[in-house]
Amino acid sequence: MPIVSGSNSRPLAVDLAAELGWRHVPLEARRFPDLEGYVRIPSEHIEAVRSSVEPVVLVSTTYPDNGIIETLLLLEAISDVREGKTDSLKGGGPEGLHPVGPGVILAIPYFGYSRQDKRFQAGEVVSAKAIGKLLAVRCDGIVFLDIHSESALEDLGVPVVFTSCMPEIAHYLQETVKPDFILSPDKGAIERASQVAEAIGCRFSYLEKTRIDAHTIVHAAKDLDVDGAIVTIVDDMIATGGTICRASEALISQGAVEVHAACAHGLFTGGAISRLDEFVNGVHAANSLQNPRAVISGGPALARGVRSLLDDSS
Ligand code: R5P
């Protein structure tokens, strides 16, 4: 089965293909000078995309916003090619292209809008569900990697699998940082961070966080018993870095000798990396997004998700 990718997730798509022992097929995805998106399945890869009776797997993120457009257009292009559609083709097209079977599974390394998983105020939209529904009508199933919250995405009308790279993050930390304490910086990350602590076999605790605004967060005071400890703060994503910096301050004030941060999704917005460098000894991210701290492959986790989706639907 082919694994295909556009412009935003190629290294991870290559990792996934290697993990599954399938072929990676690069698709064309770029932007016009006015920034509108353009995608195309190159002629030399049309047969590869039509070659399997099982669905093609597209690896594509929905971040930033142009990732949504690119993903939607790629899903449409793959379905058209697999259905043999050549209508509207300037100058006419190849004759006799028959449909080749079900279309496409979408594997999303980082799903943008996942944090708007409910209406926090009247009049808001549940953005995660709105974007999820747009994608779901164009594919036969979706694999989400380390989604912030599953609640808004459980009823999209196609099979959905949630997978996680926390086992790989735990393995990486054990080999490099060797933490003796894992901290969840808020209640939302407890399940993920405690899974890492359990895999490593080290102590664990969590903080209670209140977000005042996008750039200001406050943690409730708590005794953490980290005197002399090497601590890693584990979260699903790091955006501004504020959550990690504040948690690190609490840890250092209580005697931690080293503080690291690990996450599945390194968004690192607005100078986050240099801000983090002042507060932590190291930042370790999975490669759901491409950035200089993406040192852990999300390929094995996506492979587990794809296998699970295929097993469930067979
Ligand atoms: C929110 O609950 C998430 O799990 C992260 O903790 C949050 O998005 C991190 O954002 P920032 O790095 O801007 O503090």
Side-chain angles (χ1 to χ4, degrees):
M1 280 167 65
I3 307 284
V4 302
S5 63
S7 72
N8 65 32
S9 297
R10 196 147 292 172
L12 187 42
V14 170
D15 287 357
L16 174 62
E19 196 68 33
L20 292 169
W22 299 345
R23 176 182 176 194
H24 173 251
V25 177
L27 306 183
E28 183 177 352
R30 57 182 168 81
R31 293 164 86 182
F32 287 110
D34 62 3
L35 302 183
E36 287 180 359
Y38 172 86
V39 309
R40 176 172 172 259
I41 299 175
S43 317
E44 66 273 24
H45 294 321
I46 285 183
E47 263 326 295
V49 169
R50 288 171 54 79
S51 62
S52 63
V53 284
E54 294 92 3
V56 170
V57 178
L58 168 66
V59 186
S60 193
T61 74
T62 58
Y63 178 87
D65 283 2
N66 59 313
I68 298 172
I69 300 297
E70 180 175 317
T71 305
L72 289 169
L73 294 178
L74 284 170
L75 288 173
E76 199 81 6
I78 294 163
S79 295
D80 281 1
V81 157
R82 287 180 62 80
E83 285 169 27
K85 275 192 191 164
T86 54
D87 54 299
S88 302
L89 180 62
K90 191 177 166 195
E95 294 295 315
L97 281 184
H98 57 281
V100 292
V104 51
I105 287 172
L106 175 59
I108 308 181
Y110 175 65
F111 180 63
Y113 291 93
S114 59
R115 286 175 287 183
Q116 185 74 20
D117 61 337
K118 50 179 78 71
R119 297 181 214 277
F120 297 92
Q121 299 183 61
E124 288 182 351
V125 62
V126 183
S127 309
K129 193 172 197 75
I131 306 294
K133 277 158 55 180
L134 279 178
L135 299 165
V137 294
R138 288 171 176 78
C139 65
D140 302 310
I142 306 181
V143 176
F144 291 99
L145 178 67
D146 279 294
I147 196 74
H148 179 67
S149 158
E150 299 178 2
S151 57
L153 298 166
E154 280 164 342
D155 186 21
L156 293 180
V158 293
V160 162
V161 167
F162 300 105
T163 189
S164 171
C165 62
M166 290 302 136
E168 285 71 35
I169 288 186
H171 178 73
Y172 174 89
L173 292 173
Q174 205 160 15
E175 296 289 307
T176 56
V177 173
K178 304 187 194 318
D180 29 47
F181 196 106
I182 298 290
L183 181 75
S184 169
D186 54 32
K187 284 185 162 177
I190 288 179
E191 197 180 324
R192 243 178 277 277
S194 59
Q195 190 189 336
V196 172
E198 203 172 310
I200 294 174
C202 69
R203 288 177 290 139
F204 168 79
S205 191
Y206 66 93
L207 291 174
E208 287 185 52
K209 174 176 97 176
T210 306
R211 184 175 284 284
I212 313 293
D213 61 40
H215 295 277
T216 319
I217 64 116
V218 178
H219 284 118
K222 183 172 181 182
D223 283 337
L224 291 167
D225 191 20
V226 289
D227 195 20
I230 298 173
V231 184
T232 301
I233 307 164
V234 174
D235 208 346
D236 60 335
M237 67 181 79
I238 301 175
T240 65
T243 299
I244 298 294
C245 294
R246 297 294 79 75
S248 180
E249 281 178 327
L251 289 163
I252 290 164
S253 71
Q254 295 189 43
V257 289
E258 260 183 58
V259 178
H260 293 255
C263 66
H265 312 300
L267 284 94
F268 304 131
T269 54
I273 290 194
S274 36
R275 198 171 310 119
L276 285 159
D277 282 347
E278 289 176 30
F279 288 88
V280 295
N281 300 83
V283 180
H284 318 274
N287 63 348
S288 68
L289 296 163
Q290 295 167 46
N291 61 66
R293 300 294 185 272
V295 290
I296 301 153
S297 176
L302 279 186
R304 287 192 291 276
V306 169
R307 279 198 202 99
S308 159
L309 193 66
L310 292 174
D311 287 350
D312 290 350
S313 38
S314 62

